[in-house]
């Protein structure tokens, strides 16, 4: 607040085994956006200078809040988004489920576990809430509805992407998918690839971490309106 910025960091619905967080977690994000609109005067919030940022699952929700507003979900807001910062966020849930090395490694390791333990470690149960192998049509429809890339259009705000090139949880090609979409639609965007960095910046050098802070700060300041 002292430098003129207000940061709102909301909670959101988390996954549970056998119970997908979708669409509730997305509705939570949109509900926050609506709350900001309704309380802007009370907290002296400038609705002409709003940006969204998140890491990993938080980046997924930031993208959904920016891209899916007024599309497929009942909650919406009416003010513009000046910029969006996506730090290794899932862009396409179908591709994420297919490509995640962590998921594949975990599934291999738990093959010999008792059934009641297997169920608790089944990532598909946390992501989908059901076994996508039993109904692939339902699974891919579900994944498409809850994937940011589904909703990106030419009116999307300027985008900054930051992603490690050895990320095993959200593989780097997820950001490449969004980069290609942004290129095709003429969306202003930048992407920074961190060499040797895994998810949550594991393996990143101190210099790389310092660069991340600078990239984000510079990007935000570039798109502030006076």
């Amino acid at each position: 607040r002292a430098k003129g910025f207000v940061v709102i960091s909301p909670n959101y619905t988390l996954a549970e085994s056998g119970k997908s967080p979708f669409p509730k977690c997305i509705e939570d994000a949109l509900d926050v956006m609506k709350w900001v609109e309704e309380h802007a005067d009370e907290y002296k919030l400038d609705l002409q200078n709003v940006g969204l940022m998140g890491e990993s699952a938080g980046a997924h929700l930031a993208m959904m809040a920016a891209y899916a507003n007024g599309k497929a979900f009942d909650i919406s807001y009416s003010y513009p988004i000046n910029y969006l910062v996506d730090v290794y966020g899932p862009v396409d849930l179908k591709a994420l489920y297919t490509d995640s090395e962590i998921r594949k490694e975990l599934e291999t390791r738990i093959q010999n576990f008792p059934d009641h333990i297997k169920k608790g470690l089944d990532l598909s149960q946390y992501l989908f809430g059901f076994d996508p192998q039993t109904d692939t049509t339902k699974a891919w429809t579900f994944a498409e509805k809850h994937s940011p890339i589904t909703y990106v259009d030419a009116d999307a705000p300027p985008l900054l992407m930051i992603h490690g090139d050895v990320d095993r949880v959200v593989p780097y090609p997820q950001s490449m998918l969004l980069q290609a979409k942004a290129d095709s639609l003429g969306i202003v965007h930048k992407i920074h690839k961190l060499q040797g960095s895994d998810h949550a910046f594991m393996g990143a050098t101190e210099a790389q971490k310092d660069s991340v802070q600078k990239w984000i700060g510079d990007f935000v300041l570039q798109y502030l309106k006076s």
Side-chain angles (χ1 to χ4, degrees):
R1 171 74 77 171
K3 292 185 178 295
F5 291 89
V6 174
V7 176
I8 299 174
S9 179
N11 293 323
Y12 54 86
T13 301
L14 302 177
E16 300 177 19
S17 182
K19 183 180 180 182
S20 172
F22 301 111
K24 189 64 174 66
C25 60
I26 297 169
E27 293 169 350
D28 290 340
L30 289 168
D31 193 46
V32 170
M33 304 300 291
K34 188 66 175 178
W35 182 92
V36 167
E37 185 169 41
E38 294 172 347
H39 293 82
D41 290 341
E42 179 182 354
Y43 292 101
K44 296 181 173 57
L45 305 176
D46 181 0
L47 293 183
Q48 298 306 306
N49 272 308
V50 177
L52 294 174
M53 172 183 167
E55 294 184 37
S56 194
H60 170 268
L61 294 181
M63 288 187 281
M64 289 298 291
Y67 297 145
N69 181 40
K71 307 169 186 174
F73 301 94
D74 292 335
I75 305 168
S76 63
Y77 57 91
S78 62
Y79 53 91
I81 301 301
N82 290 49
Y83 57 84
L84 173 62
V85 180
D86 160 29
V87 184
Y88 46 77
V91 172
D92 184 329
L93 297 187
K94 179 181 176 182
L96 176 65
Y97 177 75
T98 302
D99 295 343
S100 173
E101 292 182 24
I102 292 291
R103 179 190 65 80
K104 294 175 184 176
E105 181 178 337
L106 182 57
E107 287 180 351
T108 299
R109 290 185 178 186
I110 68 175
Q111 286 306 307
N112 296 322
F113 285 13
D115 288 342
H116 69 282
I117 296 179
K118 284 183 182 180
K119 184 176 180 180
L121 296 174
D122 185 354
L123 293 187
S124 67
Q125 293 291 332
Y126 285 88
L127 180 61
F128 294 97
F130 60 90
D131 183 359
Q133 306 277 343
T134 62
D135 190 341
T136 55
T137 299
K138 176 183 176 182
W140 302 149
T141 299
F142 177 98
E144 182 178 31
K145 179 178 180 180
H146 301 111
S147 293
I149 201 164
T150 301
Y151 304 98
V152 182
D153 59 30
D155 295 325
L159 168 68
L160 172 65
M161 293 170 280
I162 301 172
H163 209 143
D165 67 347
V166 293
D167 193 323
R168 294 174 297 159
V169 178
V170 181
Y172 181 75
Q174 286 278 303
S175 285
M176 293 175 65
L177 289 172
L178 186 54
Q179 180 186 26
K181 187 78 169 182
D183 281 335
S184 69
L185 294 171
I187 298 167
V188 174
H189 66 283
K190 294 181 180 179
I191 185 167
H192 293 287
K193 178 168 67 173
L194 293 180
Q195 298 286 342
S197 177
D198 200 341
H199 203 67
F201 297 129
M202 290 177 60
T205 66
E206 290 305 313
Q208 286 176 320
K209 293 176 184 178
D210 289 343
S211 292
V212 169
Q213 298 296 326
K214 186 176 189 308
W215 294 332
I216 293 173
D218 289 349
F219 192 78
V220 170
L221 292 173
Q222 183 178 354
Y223 291 101
L224 285 181
K225 293 181 179 178
S226 58

